[in-house]
Amino acid sequence: QKEVEQNSGPLSVPEGAIASLNCTYSDRGSQSFFWYRQYSGKSPELIMFIYSNGDKEDGRFTAQLNKASQYVSLLIRDSQPSDSATYLCAVNEAGGNQFYFGTGTSLTVIP
Amino acid sequence: ETGVTQTPRHLVMGMTNKKSLKCEQHLGHNAMYWYKQSAKKPLELMFVYSLEERVENNSVPSRFSPECPNSSHLFLHLHTLQPEDSALYLCASSRTLAGILGDTQYFGPGTRLTVL
């Protein structure tokens, strides 16, 4: 059973702070790693993906991947109240036919 | 707007009704997925189609019946559902099946289903 683990939270940070979201995965064959944002009652929205070890930056978002530790994280700099949502981590595997999702971390940014 | 549309957006049905959910993707993708998301639970993969062929069926009850007439359309036919089937049903698509490096999955807005 392939597992993707996330701390369900809730995680609360003040506006302007850095929010750090973490995800671990069990399958060493995992190939690509995705972060989705899901507002309450809405569908998941892709934020970014990463497949090489190290950091990948996109605006205020940075994804960090460490395959040796089977760990992927998402940093949100200068957090805004509009960032308040549930963040889903997902992975896939080479040659696989599905994406595996974590349970999500609820983030609240306090004005 | 992700290029994946779903209709209806909201559906209320009785346990004896038959209804269908529709998904359409305008992205030229070859793989399509149905997920169920219940309150406070993670996404549950239900079905996966690649080039109109079903490649995954995650032990879903037979009261859910998928149909993929072409690579742009996906249906979920519902009959004799139970109240515990009330959930958000999400359709998604990806360029190929999930195993291609960097390929990403895009979701439709979902159908909020309530079974009375």
Side-chain angles (χ1 to χ4, degrees):
Chain A
Q1 177 72 16
K2 298 176 177 57
E3 294 184 349
V4 179
E5 301 282 346
Q6 294 181 256
N7 186 331
S8 63
L11 173 66
S12 295
V13 300
E15 184 174 356
I18 296 176
S20 178
L21 305 163
N22 304 315
C23 174
T24 59
Y25 56 95
S26 63
D27 184 9
R28 287 195 172 273
S30 297
Q31 175 179 245
S32 301
F33 308 85
F34 307 85
W35 283 101
Y36 287 84
R37 176 175 62 200
Q38 186 174 24
Y39 293 113
S40 180
K42 302 295 185 181
S43 63
E45 170 192 10
L46 181 69
I47 299 175
M48 62 191 307
F49 68 91
I50 185 170
Y51 49 80
S52 298
N53 273 328
D55 295 359
K56 180 181 179 182
E57 186 174 319
D58 184 359
R60 295 187 296 113
F61 299 97
T62 298
Q64 299 176 316
L65 175 61
N66 184 325
K67 289 188 177 181
S69 299
Q70 296 177 239
Y71 174 96
V72 58
S73 65
L74 180 70
L75 300 178
I76 307 175
R77 291 182 301 281
D78 187 24
S79 296
Q80 302 296 310
S82 58
D83 294 326
S84 298
T86 295
Y87 289 80
L88 301 173
C89 173
V91 306
N92 68 9
E93 61 175 352
N97 59 11
Q98 60 182 281
F99 296 79
Y100 299 90
F101 284 83
T103 55
T105 298
S106 175
L107 171 67
T108 299
V109 179
I110 303 168
Chain B
E1 179 62 45
T2 63
V4 182
T5 59
Q6 289 186 245
T7 54
R9 297 291 303 275
H10 300 272
L11 177 62
V12 179
M13 60 186 290
M15 294 169 61
T16 58
N17 291 157
K18 289 184 180 181
K19 296 288 184 182
S20 295
L21 309 184
K22 178 183 177 182
C23 175
E24 182 174 1
Q25 57 94 1
H26 310 274
L27 301 169
H29 289 172
N30 290 324
M32 297 186 77
Y33 311 76
W34 277 119
Y35 290 88
K36 174 184 178 183
Q37 189 176 39
S38 303
K40 307 299 183 184
K41 288 188 176 181
L43 283 168
E44 299 176 45
L45 179 66
M46 301 176 73
F47 301 104
V48 181
Y49 276 83
S50 175
L51 295 171
E52 302 123 56
E53 179 180 339
R54 190 189 309 179
V55 297
E56 192 75 37
N57 177 352
N58 275 7
S59 302
V60 178
S62 59
R63 57 186 183 269
F64 295 93
S65 175
E67 179 189 1
C68 188
N70 56 63
S71 59
S72 297
H73 293 86
L74 185 64
F75 294 89
L76 187 63
H77 303 300
L78 316 171
H79 63 98
T80 59
L81 294 192
Q82 305 297 312
E84 59 265 30
D85 296 321
S86 299
L88 180 67
Y89 288 83
L90 292 162
C91 174
S93 72
S94 59
R95 185 164 45 88
T96 62
L97 280 177
I100 302 301
L101 185 67
D103 198 7
T104 53
Q105 191 175 61
Y106 296 92
F107 286 85
T111 295
R112 174 69 61 185
L113 173 67
T114 302
V115 182
L116 301 176

